Amino acid sequence: MSATDQELKEFRGQVSAWLSDNKPADPGFLLPQSFMEVGTEQQLDFLREWQYQVWNAGYLGLAWPREYGGGGVEPVYQNIVDQEMRRHGVPICFNVIGLGWAGPLINDIGTEEEKARYLKGILTGEDIWCQGFSEPDHGSDLGSAQTRAVRDGDDYVINGTKIWTTLGNYAKYMILLARTNPDAGRKYDGLSFFLSPMHVPGIEARPIRKLTGEYGFTETFFTDARIPADCLMGEEGQGWKIAMQTLQYERGAEAGAAGGLAFERIVIDDMIAQLRDMTRDGEPLLSEPVVRDQLVRLIMEEKAIALGDKRAAIAPLNTDYPFSLQLSNKLRFSEYARRMRQTAVDLQGAAGSLYVGDEQARQGGFWQRAYFNSFSATIGGGTSQVQANIIAEHVLGLPK
């Protein structure tokens, strides 16, 4: 039975009250702006404890099966929680690859044993997940992955390298795409998909220092690493199909995520607020026609993205190009976020060159850090160029 409007209203009130009472205080150190910047044990411990509190209160994984740690209710309840989390500005739920990609995949096509083994640990934050898709020499060309998985009795022996492994140095498990048949007729047919443990001999995750000075990504090396054969998901040779389903979750085209915030909520109103006291030639910056025009364009774009998300959930409004909004969501949002943050830095004038740690930096260098960090989202899950090709081919029907 579907929830009534009154029931949902009462639930929203409960969630809002809980968040007001339990929103963590400023910890006194820099928190990640997204799950891609978790770079210290201090940050990890703080975020892990916060995610556990959210789950323990019954506000994470609400649409996942109750027997695996979820709430077993309609997705609309999780949508309300996520909306209230954004409104209250609480910290992120950091285990995003588990909550948003691996978990939904296991829920949809995993065996009962896999669900019982993995799902609850994803929700509590006890079991951190990472993704082993991209490789140093292939980038977004996943079909050319060369990491090898060779069957040897009850194990697979893994050799190769993965790059941009978010949370790789903290992860307990990896969703891994590896080549089991190098002689397959098509390169896609030789790939297999694994739910691989990370804490085994022969797997090393080396943190990568980013432009911001922070960490979050790693390069992961497999050197004769042995993982149990039952880590294989599906059958050998089905890896490409399963990987594409996983990317549907990552790119926002499929439902099923456990919920929570993956990114610190940064919106155009925040940017306008930081410009209010700025002047240029003795006049308020916000009074300049060119600046106002820039801001209005960004306001319109942000509103269009929000309305597009609502439209995507109403089937009769998507009959012209089915799935166009879902498939374009990642591209539209990530590129908008990058341009909005760049504008925020540009409008600071000379002060825009200052960064975190400089006493003269506006808002402690918040916008500069946000701008640099925004590039991660334009690359992860397929670069913006790859996303444009997907839309052209699969929505508009254009040739490759």
Side-chain angles (χ1 to χ4, degrees), residues 150-166:
V150 178
R151 183 71 182 259
D152 182 23
D154 293 333
D155 296 330
Y156 280 93
V157 180
I158 314 295
N159 283 280
T161 308
K162 297 293 182 177
I163 192 71
W164 310 125
T165 315
T166 305

Side-chain angles (χ1 to χ4, degrees), residues 8 13 23 39 43 45 76 93-94 177 293 296 311 317 337 348 380 395-397:
L8 295 178
K23 179 180 178 179
Q43 292 174 333
D45 290 344
V76 65
C93 288
F94 77 104
L177 188 65
D293 182 67
V296 168
R311 176 185 166 188
L317 299 181
Q348 292 182 18
V395 175
L396 300 177

Side-chain angles (χ1 to χ4, degrees), residues 163-178:
I163 192 71
W164 310 125
T165 315
T166 305
L167 294 170
N169 53 324
Y170 300 125
K172 183 176 180 179
Y173 297 108
M174 169 188 279
I175 45 176
L176 171 66
L177 188 65

Side-chain angles (χ1 to χ4, degrees), residues 290-332:
V290 173
V291 173
R292 294 171 70 87
D293 182 67
Q294 286 179 286
L295 295 178
V296 168
R297 289 175 182 273
L298 290 170
I299 291 170
M300 292 169 62
E301 188 171 357
E302 184 173 281
K303 187 66 173 178
I305 291 172
L307 292 174
D309 289 343
K310 291 183 177 180
R311 176 185 166 188
I314 305 172
L317 299 181
N318 296 277
T319 56
D320 47 355
Y321 292 104
F323 302 111
S324 60
L325 289 170
Q326 294 96 322
L327 287 173
S328 65
N329 178 68
K330 189 265 186 187
L331 174 63
R332 290 181 289 112

Side-chain angles (χ1 to χ4, degrees), residues 271 274-275 278 298 339-349 352 367-368:
M271 186 178 103
Q274 73 105 11
L275 299 174
M278 293 183 63
L298 290 170
R339 285 186 282 101
M340 188 262 278
R341 290 156 174 73
Q342 181 176 3
T343 301
V345 174
D346 291 345
L347 292 178
Q348 292 182 18
W367 289 97
Q368 288 83 344

Side-chain angles (χ1 to χ4, degrees), residues 64-70 107 111-112 115-116 119-121 123:
W64 286 16
R66 189 179 298 273
E67 59 267 35
Y68 304 124
N107 254 323
T111 64
E112 293 304 312
K115 293 175 185 179
L119 292 181
K120 185 176 179 180
L123 293 172

Side-chain angles (χ1 to χ4, degrees), residues 71-365:
V73 296
E74 299 172 74
V76 65
Y77 283 94
Q78 189 66 59
N79 295 339
I80 289 173
V81 172
D82 296 349
Q83 291 164 10
E84 290 300 308
M85 292 181 78
R86 284 191 290 271
R87 190 171 69 84
H88 283 264
V90 298
I92 63 171
C93 288
F94 77 104
N95 198 13
V96 171
I97 296 172
L99 296 170
W101 309 338
L105 181 73
I106 294 168
N107 254 323
D108 284 348
I109 68 170
T111 64
E112 293 304 312
E113 181 182 356
E114 288 168 340
K115 293 175 185 179
R117 184 188 304 176
Y118 299 119
L119 292 181
K120 185 176 179 180
I122 289 174
L123 293 172
T124 64
E126 179 182 358
D127 297 342
I128 302 172
W129 285 71
C130 64
Q131 181 185 40
F133 281 17
S134 295
E135 297 183 358
D137 295 328
H138 304 293
S140 295
D141 182 15
L142 299 184
S144 295
Q146 294 302 309
T147 294
R148 290 289 308 278
V150 178
R151 183 71 182 259
D152 182 23
D154 293 333
D155 296 330
Y156 280 93
V157 180
I158 314 295
N159 283 280
T161 308
K162 297 293 182 177
I163 192 71
W164 310 125
T165 315
T166 305
L167 294 170
N169 53 324
Y170 300 125
K172 183 176 180 179
Y173 297 108
M174 169 188 279
I175 45 176
L176 171 66
L177 188 65
R179 188 164 299 280
T180 48
N181 182 5
D183 300 320
R186 296 192 320 147
K187 60 182 181 180
Y188 306 106
D189 296 337
L191 296 168
S192 298
F193 196 98
F194 299 88
L195 305 177
S196 171
M198 289 288 285
H199 300 160
V200 299
I203 300 180
E204 179 188 6
R206 300 178 189 171
I208 298 172
R209 189 172 186 267
K210 300 192 295 182
L211 183 64
T212 61
E214 298 172 273
Y215 294 85
F217 299 132
T218 69
E219 187 171 10
T220 306
F221 298 88
F222 297 84
T223 307
D224 293 329
R226 303 183 76 92
I227 65 173
D230 64 2
C231 293
L232 177 70
M233 194 172 208
E235 303 292 334
E236 282 196 8
Q238 293 181 342
W240 181 254
K241 178 182 177 181
I242 298 174
M244 291 303 99
Q245 183 168 345
T246 307
L247 289 177
Q248 293 286 73
Y249 305 120
E250 183 175 355
R251 293 164 179 167
E254 294 287 348
L261 301 183
F263 300 88
E264 181 178 349
R265 183 176 184 264
I266 305 173
V267 296
I268 187 67
D269 286 348
D270 299 323
M271 186 178 103
I272 294 172
Q274 73 105 11
L275 299 174
R276 289 193 184 281
D277 65 342
M278 293 183 63
T279 61
R280 186 176 290 171
D281 298 328
E283 297 293 328
L285 183 64
L286 291 178
S287 68
E288 288 195 12
V290 173
V291 173
R292 294 171 70 87
D293 182 67
Q294 286 179 286
L295 295 178
V296 168
R297 289 175 182 273
L298 290 170
I299 291 170
M300 292 169 62
E301 188 171 357
E302 184 173 281
K303 187 66 173 178
I305 291 172
L307 292 174
D309 289 343
K310 291 183 177 180
R311 176 185 166 188
I314 305 172
L317 299 181
N318 296 277
T319 56
D320 47 355
Y321 292 104
F323 302 111
S324 60
L325 289 170
Q326 294 96 322
L327 287 173
S328 65
N329 178 68
K330 189 265 186 187
L331 174 63
R332 290 181 289 112
F333 177 78
S334 62
E335 286 296 331
Y336 163 75
R338 179 188 60 79
R339 285 186 282 101
M340 188 262 278
R341 290 156 174 73
Q342 181 176 3
T343 301
V345 174
D346 291 345
L347 292 178
Q348 292 182 18
S353 64
L354 305 179
Y355 195 63
V356 176
D358 194 304
E359 293 182 358
Q360 302 301 315
R362 290 185 62 82
Q363 291 186 260

